[in-house]
Amino acid sequence: MGMKAHRSYVRRLSLSPEQTAELDQQGHAARALWNLLHEWWTWGGCTRRPTMRQTDEAIRQARKDIPWLADLPAQAAQQVLKTYLRAWKNFFDGHARPPEFKGRVRSRMSVDNPQASKLRIRRLNRRWGELTVIKVGRVRFRWSGSLPGVGREPGRITGARLVKDTLGWHVAFRTEQDRPDPEPRPGPAVGIDRGIHVPLALSDGNDQHHGPWLRAKEAERLLRLERKAARQWRARMRGQPASNRLRRTYDQIAKLRARAKRRRYDWQHKTTTTIAAKYGLVVAENLRLTSMTRSAKGTVDYPGKNVRRKSGLNRALLGEAHGRTIELLEYKLAERGGQMLPVPAAGTSQKCSACGHRDPVSRAGIKFSCTSCGWVGHADTNAALNILAAGLAVNGRGVDTVGRRREASTTRRSAYHPGKPARPRAAGEATPALAREGSEA
């Protein structure tokens, strides 16, 4: 038995001005087709829904009647319909919001080339490759890594999607690879606490850090451009749209932010690959990031407190993109036979990992000093140890050095009665933290 791994590989395109103009035209046509579908699909409310056959016939007739809509290839037009129907299915299943109209400025242009046989991918040299785009011709792209199904690489390419962002056009190759089912890997277990001062604090002390996503000169230029955009926005006539100069400033800001996003994504991929290759069980908090980054502005009747401070905290949390880190780590662990285990986040930063006593006063910033046993350490490391203990209790792997199961009643008692001290330890008895370190060593 085996499994089919579906992955996407993104490469940057190198286009001539004529090819860029042609792809831009196709992207605008795909966006307009989406809006036409949405208007026709939602016209008349929920009582009227056209069938798949009626919608397909309407698209074929529209490509004959509207010249600029015919610039979009037929396969790409059919893919717009499939994507639109899939968006409705995701909404009905409760996974996403309902489809909306796509704006010309804020939406990201994309064109599908679903037929892999027409791509004709070929490697030119060490740095460049080439593929065929319908109605555009042969296009070069950066060969920044191997592709399944090209050359001697196992697997196959099932299609491609052309996407444009602030840095230009890119191609995302959809691939499929046959892989054997991974065997369960009994590797070491680790708890991960996600934060701001320490992006990923691991229970064994192997914390993962990163520097600022933008260099000093880039951050200075970004601040200067944001202030310039604010001045240009205030100088415009009230009720008038943004000027061309303001749009150009917005484009420069978007390029710097896209550069920071790429560096963050690169760090996340490298870090999660290292963690997935080293550990067999990773325990992480089940954080509600949407609620954590909600604005504290409040209402007119009930205004919020410390709004600017909370907005800065929200920006810092969103800048770390902790949700994507867990998504990457989850599928990489599954490929290697590991396991990702989420645990509730309540109380992990207020409980002492040594004695189990829970007291909000024990934590002061990044320092944790237990008011019961006097244990002192980094607050994020203490939280990671508590997360690991909660995961081992759920997973049934919590065995200390003397072979006894960890007492779950002590944890429950300290959680529900934070004023009561935990079970006193006998003379010479190791703390749970030391026992874990000894078992992992």
Side-chain angles (χ1 to χ4, degrees):
M1 295 295 292
M3 56 179 291
K4 291 186 180 295
H6 299 272
R7 294 291 177 264
S8 177
Y9 294 81
V10 181
R11 301 291 183 264
R12 189 168 184 175
L13 296 177
S14 177
L15 304 173
S16 64
E18 294 78 11
Q19 292 175 335
T20 302
E22 179 63 32
L23 271 182
D24 288 346
Q25 197 168 358
Q26 291 188 17
H28 287 304
R31 177 188 56 83
L33 179 59
W34 174 284
N35 292 338
L36 291 173
L37 278 173
H38 188 59
E39 182 178 5
W40 189 47
W41 195 269
T42 56
W43 176 71
C46 299
T47 58
R48 178 190 176 276
R49 288 282 189 252
T51 62
M52 184 76 171
R53 180 177 180 180
Q54 292 174 342
T55 309
D56 181 61
E57 293 177 354
I59 291 177
R60 294 175 183 270
Q61 188 63 35
R63 295 184 71 253
K64 296 178 181 179
D65 298 338
I66 306 175
W68 55 265
L69 195 58
D71 295 334
L72 185 67
Q75 297 86 356
Q78 296 296 325
Q79 199 66 24
V80 171
L81 174 59
K82 294 180 181 179
T83 306
Y84 181 76
L85 295 179
R86 191 184 306 118
W88 275 113
K89 184 179 184 301
N90 293 335
F91 167 68
F92 291 137
D93 294 341
H95 302 316
R97 295 181 179 179
E100 298 178 350
F101 289 102
K102 292 186 177 182
R104 183 181 180 90
V105 177
R106 291 185 177 274
S107 63
R108 188 170 60 173
M109 290 193 297
S110 62
V111 180
D112 265 287
N113 282 243
Q115 296 183 352
S117 59
K118 295 185 177 181
L119 295 176
R120 294 189 297 166
I121 303 171
R122 184 169 64 95
R123 186 172 183 176
L124 300 178
N125 50 45
R126 184 171 63 90
R127 294 186 176 182
W128 294 99
E130 197 176 42
L131 78 154
T132 300
V133 179
I134 302 176
K135 293 191 175 183
V136 177
R138 298 295 289 178
V139 175
R140 299 178 67 186
F141 66 92
R142 290 285 297 181
W143 193 275
S144 54
S146 59
L147 292 174
V150 180
R152 298 181 179 180
E153 295 293 330
R156 68 188 186 93
I157 293 179
T158 60
R161 184 181 181 89
L162 307 174
V163 182
K164 184 179 183 181
D165 59 7
T166 55
L167 300 179
W169 281 95
H170 300 76
V171 55
F173 296 104
R174 294 188 288 265
T175 65
E176 182 182 86
Q177 293 176 278
D178 294 328
R179 296 180 180 178
D181 292 331
E183 298 181 358
R185 183 160 55 92
V190 67
I192 296 181
D193 179 70
R194 293 168 285 170
I196 298 175
H197 295 285
V198 181
L200 296 179
L202 275 62
S203 57
D204 59 355
N206 187 22
D207 299 340
Q208 302 296 320
H209 299 269
H210 63 75
W213 304 124
L214 291 177
R215 301 184 180 92
K217 292 294 184 181
E218 294 172 339
E220 181 181 351
R221 183 168 180 263
L222 177 60
L223 179 61
R224 187 170 63 250
L225 288 172
E226 289 175 342
R227 291 175 176 174
K228 180 181 178 182
R231 290 195 304 269
Q232 292 175 339
W233 178 258
R234 289 194 300 266
R236 68 181 179 85
M237 297 293 292
R238 184 179 296 273
Q240 296 296 321
S243 62
N244 292 333
R245 291 184 179 181
L246 179 56
R247 293 185 184 278
R248 186 161 56 248
T249 306
Y250 283 156
D251 291 340
Q252 294 172 349
I253 293 174
K255 288 182 179 180
L256 285 174
R257 290 179 178 174
R259 189 177 302 173
K261 181 180 179 180
R262 286 196 167 193
R263 291 170 181 171
R264 178 177 64 238
Y265 198 45
D266 178 71
W267 178 84
Q268 288 175 325
H269 262 295
K270 293 178 180 178
T271 304
T272 53
T273 300
T274 303
I275 295 176
K278 183 177 180 181
Y279 301 100
L281 175 65
V282 177
V283 188
E285 296 173 299
N286 188 13
L287 298 177
R288 297 182 179 180
L289 297 174
T290 304
S291 302
M292 293 175 59
T293 56
R294 188 173 298 164
S295 175
K297 189 176 298 184
T299 61
V300 177
D301 299 331
Y302 301 97
K305 298 180 180 180
N306 299 326
V307 178
R308 296 188 62 182
R309 184 177 180 181
K310 182 61 167 64
S311 62
L313 178 63
N314 291 346
R315 285 194 298 269
L317 280 173
L318 293 174
E320 294 295 336
H322 288 310
R324 184 186 294 116
T325 302
I326 295 301
E327 290 178 0
L328 297 176
L329 188 57
E330 188 173 4
Y331 88 80
K332 291 180 181 182
L333 281 168
E335 287 182 348
R336 293 163 175 79
Q339 182 184 1
M340 183 75 188
L341 185 63
V343 296
T348 54
S349 61
Q350 300 176 357
K351 186 173 64 175
C352 177
S353 60
C355 66
H357 177 67
R358 179 176 175 180
D359 188 1
V361 183
S362 299
R363 177 166 183 173
I366 62 174
K367 181 181 178 181
F368 188 91
S369 179
C370 182
T371 58
S372 177
C373 67
W375 184 85
V376 179
H378 199 284
D380 294 337
T381 304
N382 174 75
L385 289 170
N386 290 326
I387 293 170
L388 176 61
L392 293 179
V394 173
N395 200 48
R397 294 175 58 177
V399 181
D400 57 19
T401 54
V402 296
R404 293 193 299 267
R405 286 284 175 181
R406 209 180 313 276
E407 291 193 6
S409 59
T410 304
T411 306
R412 288 198 298 268
R413 184 169 61 252
S414 61
Y416 287 99
H417 302 282
K420 296 183 179 180
R423 175 182 60 87
R425 296 189 302 271
E429 182 182 356
T431 63
L434 296 178
R436 282 193 294 271
E437 292 177 1
S439 62
E440 293 174 359

